[in-house]
Amino acid sequence: MPLRQQSLDLAILGRLLQAPSHGYELRQHVNAVLGYFHVVSFGSLYPALKRLSRAGLICDCENGPPRLMASRSRRVYHLTPAGQDRLANELASVDSDAWADDDFGVRFSLFGLTAPASRLDVLVGRRAYARERLARLDSGMAPNADRYATELVRFARQMVASEIDWLDQLIAAEQTADGEVLTGGNPT
Amino acid sequence: MPLRQQSLDLAILGRLLQAPSHGYELRQHVNAVLGYFHVVSFGSLYPALKRLSRAGLICDCENGPPRLMASRSRRVYHLTPAGQDRLANELASVDSDAWADDDFGVRFSLFGLTAPASRLDVLVGRRAYARERLARLDSGMAPNADRYATELVRFARQMVASEIDWLDQLIAAEQTADGEVLTGGNPT
DNA sequence: GCCTACATGTAAATAGTTACATGATTGA
DNA sequence: TCAATCATGTAACTATTTACATGTAGGC
């Protein structure tokens, strides 16, 4: 389960706003936070950094002009003003992509930079999406399926149901105390 | 999260042994059983059927020789003897791919066609894999991560832990009553 | 006879991994 | 100075999506 370009861009921009960083470290951070959902390889990360750099959204021009390609020492990127604008726009525009599997994890990890109303939109959208998946799991199963296929669907159903529970709690928390989140109690 | 070629092939062969079928139906079945893990599109499925057909593993020659490409009516495939051999070999050869995310769902859905010892290998391998993920989630987190990033990792941790519990039960069931599986009680 | 759902197929465009090559830094 | 790890980068390979084109069967 790779992380598609657009989502990777968002993750990079978001992280760089929190802290200027270089590719290697960026990858460690993204894989630590999103590793359950996606894995980012260098083969996608470095080209992405170049692309964003050429687009003027990020820059490694801490001291003087951007270095030429030759050097292989650390290249610390930070957001340009254009990059900050882009990030703000992306985070504010919540459409159905925002709760799809590719984007949701990235979006959620950047909730700290996201307006409360947008956070709620993403969570509610994600919950509706998860409920659809649940309905599909309940209805799509052939009645003559074998034991193991049935068990697999049951497990999937349980996973999706758990996520819905989690989203319920998050939504409730967002709605009551603006910005407060789960207490972190162990749900086992 | 697509389903990579090799795994798709396995899913197709396995399903065709259970019941001869045509592409459209095959896709419905695979998406019903594995839909939580992967989605199969026509753009991958039909080329895969052609490939397997050319390789002599499946055939739509119910009556007479294989139809020419022109017709767009149902094309019911079944396994050839070579396809049955291939499937049996695949299911018997359990390596680390068998419990990776791409393969595990497919493998599990075909446990009905798999030898008990191989089933156990897959489940135990998967559990070890899940435990590694859990360890990575526990250790990889930067201490200064923000609230939402932390919450996301906590959720991921919980999901992986749930899967480990599930695998524990399945492994216990496989070990005691050879071939018996979960009672299906509702774990909510 | 027409509409809808069923059913098959292809091609262009793109994305992403893998494997490799290379350089920098640090500590023993 | 050597090894290990940190760090960046590229290119070939291959898969996969998307959008399209088309045909078929059944109900009304």
Side-chain angles (χ1 to χ4, degrees):
Chain A
M1 5 123 192
L3 185 55
R4 76 185 158 82
Q5 218 168 69
Q6 207 187 329
S7 312
L8 179 56
D9 288 356
L10 185 56
I12 291 171
L13 294 177
R15 179 56 184 169
L16 291 186
L17 182 63
Q18 293 168 335
S21 187
H22 56 97
Y24 197 90
E25 193 180 64
L26 216 39
R27 176 176 180 257
Q28 284 183 330
H29 175 81
V30 172
N31 283 346
V33 175
L34 297 175
Y36 173 67
F37 306 94
H38 314 281
V39 176
V40 176
S41 68
F42 288 126
S44 353
L45 181 60
Y46 286 117
L49 287 172
K50 257 202 176 151
R51 185 160 29 77
L52 292 171
S53 189
R54 272 198 301 264
L57 302 176
I58 67 177
C59 184
D60 66 325
C61 39
E62 290 283 270
N63 314 303
R67 260 178 294 149
L68 297 177
M69 282 297 110
S71 169
R72 275 173 191 267
S73 56
R74 278 189 179 184
R75 192 179 285 275
V76 175
Y77 290 97
H78 62 95
L79 278 189
T80 63
Q84 290 177 29
D85 286 352
R86 168 68 69 87
L87 176 62
N89 285 335
E90 290 288 333
L91 290 180
S93 82
V94 177
D95 60 7
S96 62
D97 278 344
W99 45 76
D101 288 321
D102 264 333
D103 263 26
F104 176 72
V106 177
R107 290 272 182 172
F108 190 94
S109 72
L110 299 179
F111 266 15
L113 307 173
T114 307
S118 298
R119 293 203 293 255
L120 201 55
D121 287 346
V122 172
L123 292 171
V124 170
R126 178 71 181 179
R127 184 173 58 181
Y129 175 75
R131 283 177 176 158
E132 274 171 40
R133 291 176 82 171
L134 200 59
R136 235 176 299 130
L137 285 168
D138 284 334
S139 70
M141 201 54 194
N144 58 350
D146 93 347
R147 204 183 352 165
Y148 289 103
T150 305
E151 175 60 22
L152 191 63
V153 172
R154 198 188 64 75
F155 171 69
R157 204 193 172 287
Q158 188 188 319
M159 290 289 105
V160 178
S162 292
E163 187 181 332
I164 292 175
D165 288 346
W166 179 63
L167 291 166
D168 282 339
Q169 291 178 53
L170 290 168
I171 288 167
E174 290 281 341
Q175 280 172 334
T176 59
D178 140 283
E180 201 56 60
V181 83
L182 276 189
T183 59
N186 188 346
T188 305
Chain B
M1 8 124 186
L3 185 57
R4 76 185 158 82
Q5 218 168 70
Q6 207 187 330
S7 312
L8 179 56
D9 288 356
L10 186 56
I12 291 172
L13 295 177
R15 178 56 184 169
L16 291 185
L17 182 63
Q18 294 168 335
S21 186
H22 55 97
Y24 197 88
E25 193 180 66
L26 217 39
R27 177 175 180 257
Q28 285 183 328
H29 175 80
V30 172
N31 283 347
V33 175
L34 298 174
Y36 174 66
F37 307 94
H38 314 282
V39 176
V40 175
S41 69
F42 288 126
S44 355
L45 181 61
Y46 286 117
L49 287 172
K50 257 203 174 149
R51 187 162 27 79
L52 292 171
S53 189
R54 273 198 301 266
L57 302 176
I58 66 177
C59 185
D60 67 326
C61 39
E62 289 282 272
N63 313 306
R67 261 179 293 150
L68 297 177
M69 282 297 112
S71 170
R72 274 172 193 267
S73 55
R74 278 189 180 185
R75 195 180 283 276
V76 176
Y77 290 97
H78 61 94
L79 277 189
T80 63
Q84 290 177 28
D85 286 353
R86 169 69 69 89
L87 176 61
N89 284 335
E90 290 288 334
L91 290 180
S93 82
V94 177
D95 61 7
S96 64
D97 280 343
W99 46 77
D101 288 322
D102 263 334
D103 264 25
F104 176 73
V106 177
R107 289 273 183 173
F108 190 93
S109 71
L110 299 179
F111 266 14
L113 307 172
T114 307
S118 299
R119 292 204 293 256
L120 201 55
D121 287 346
V122 172
L123 292 172
V124 170
R126 178 70 180 178
R127 184 172 59 181
Y129 175 75
R131 282 176 176 158
E132 274 171 39
R133 290 177 84 171
L134 200 59
R136 236 176 297 130
L137 285 168
D138 284 335
S139 70
M141 200 57 192
N144 56 350
D146 93 346
R147 205 187 347 166
Y148 290 103
T150 306
E151 174 60 20
L152 192 63
V153 172
R154 200 189 62 78
F155 172 70
R157 206 195 171 286
Q158 188 187 320
M159 291 288 105
V160 178
S162 292
E163 187 181 332
I164 292 174
D165 287 345
W166 178 63
L167 291 166
D168 282 339
Q169 290 177 52
L170 289 167
I171 288 167
E174 290 280 341
Q175 281 173 335
T176 57
D178 138 280
E180 202 55 62
V181 82
L182 277 188
T183 59
N186 188 348
T188 306

